[in-house]
Amino acid sequence: MTKKGAIIYGLFWAGMMILFSVFLEPISEGVSVSPDKLWLKICVWIITGMCLGFGTRYLNNRNAMKK
């Protein structure tokens, strides 16, 4: 996996988590989306997505080296 692939994978995962956990979950529970900590949640999910993307890249590259 390339660096660009890891970034795309991480941002896609972060986007899905932002969509579901920040927007769709409160709406489905009948609670309004509160903007007070919205930016913090978005930043946390983006950082987590980048960690997931580069962690996956590391594991893929490590397994490719073993083969």
Side-chain angles (χ1 to χ4, degrees):
M1 179 182 285
T2 63
K3 286 183 184 180
K4 185 178 179 181
I7 291 171
I8 291 171
Y9 179 72
L11 286 177
F12 177 77
W13 185 82
M16 290 294 111
M17 293 305 294
I18 289 168
L19 179 69
F20 287 113
S21 69
V22 175
F23 294 110
L24 293 180
E25 183 182 7
I27 291 172
S28 69
E29 294 175 353
V31 180
S32 64
V33 177
S34 60
D36 53 335
K37 292 188 179 180
L38 186 65
W39 291 109
L40 177 64
K41 291 179 182 180
I42 290 172
C43 290
V44 167
W45 281 119
I46 290 173
I47 291 169
T48 306
M50 290 293 98
C51 291
L52 177 74
F54 281 102
T56 304
R57 176 179 182 255
Y58 170 75
L59 292 175
N60 282 341
N61 290 343
R62 188 181 75 177
N63 288 338
M65 293 289 235
K66 286 183 180 179
K67 293 181 180 181

